[in-house]
Amino acid sequence: MRTPREILLRRHLSANPKLDDVRTKALSAALSHAPRAKRPAATAGQWPVGAARAAWRELIRPCRGAWAGITALWLAMWAMNWGLSDTPPAARSAPPASAAAWFEALAEQKRLLAELIPPPSAASPQPESPPRHSRPRSERRSETPMM
């Protein structure tokens, strides 16, 4: 017994060549009227410009609002960072200190640190270690009183 699929396939087999002709004519008509893009001759000087234009078209132009927002945020952060800097304007333009001045300042800082923080041996004795139990934890009795 034949399936419905086989019946339909045999009935429409004769239409295949006609459908192929119609498809070929439609494609040739559509392709003949389509404007063909002329490719410029590839020269060494045009490659970076073409790549830059393509990057602009594909990456930056579709997302102009997002790029503008990111730019505004960066400018706002830069302005806040510049305005809130701890360095006074006079110190920004001051010439850098000599190496001898740096070493003197470092020695002064070490001396102050030694005055403020005592050495670890003189600070306090080591804390007592917790008592060691000879039995495992599972065999210990709880030391909390029952009421």
Side-chain angles (χ1 to χ4, degrees):
M1 183 168 186
R2 290 188 290 178
T3 63
R5 182 177 179 168
E6 290 174 357
I7 295 170
L8 286 174
L9 183 63
R10 286 191 186 188
R11 189 178 294 172
H12 295 290
L13 272 177
S14 61
N16 275 345
K18 294 176 189 174
L19 290 174
D20 289 339
D21 290 338
V22 170
R23 186 180 305 114
T24 305
K25 288 177 186 176
L27 284 175
S28 65
L31 292 177
S32 67
H33 294 299
R36 292 187 180 185
K38 293 182 180 179
R39 294 186 121 194
T43 60
Q46 291 179 347
W47 181 82
V49 174
R53 284 183 183 157
W56 177 264
R57 260 192 327 267
E58 299 293 327
L59 300 175
I60 296 173
R61 193 169 179 210
C63 307
R64 287 183 300 238
W67 287 111
I70 290 171
T71 304
L73 285 174
W74 274 103
L75 288 174
M77 287 191 298
W78 175 78
M80 286 190 303
N81 187 22
W82 184 73
L84 296 175
S85 74
D86 294 338
T87 310
R92 286 186 205 143
S93 61
S98 65
W102 280 103
F103 286 121
E104 287 178 20
L106 185 61
E108 178 68 19
Q109 284 182 355
K110 284 183 179 179
R111 187 186 61 76
L112 287 173
L113 189 62
E115 286 179 11
L116 294 174
I117 302 173
S121 61
S124 65
Q126 293 292 331
E128 294 181 20
S129 62
R132 298 243 177 204
H133 297 286
S134 59
R135 290 185 274 171
R137 187 187 303 174
S138 61
E139 294 177 5
R140 284 189 227 146
R141 292 186 181 171
S142 78
E143 297 176 8
T144 55
M146 298 290 231
M147 294 198 176

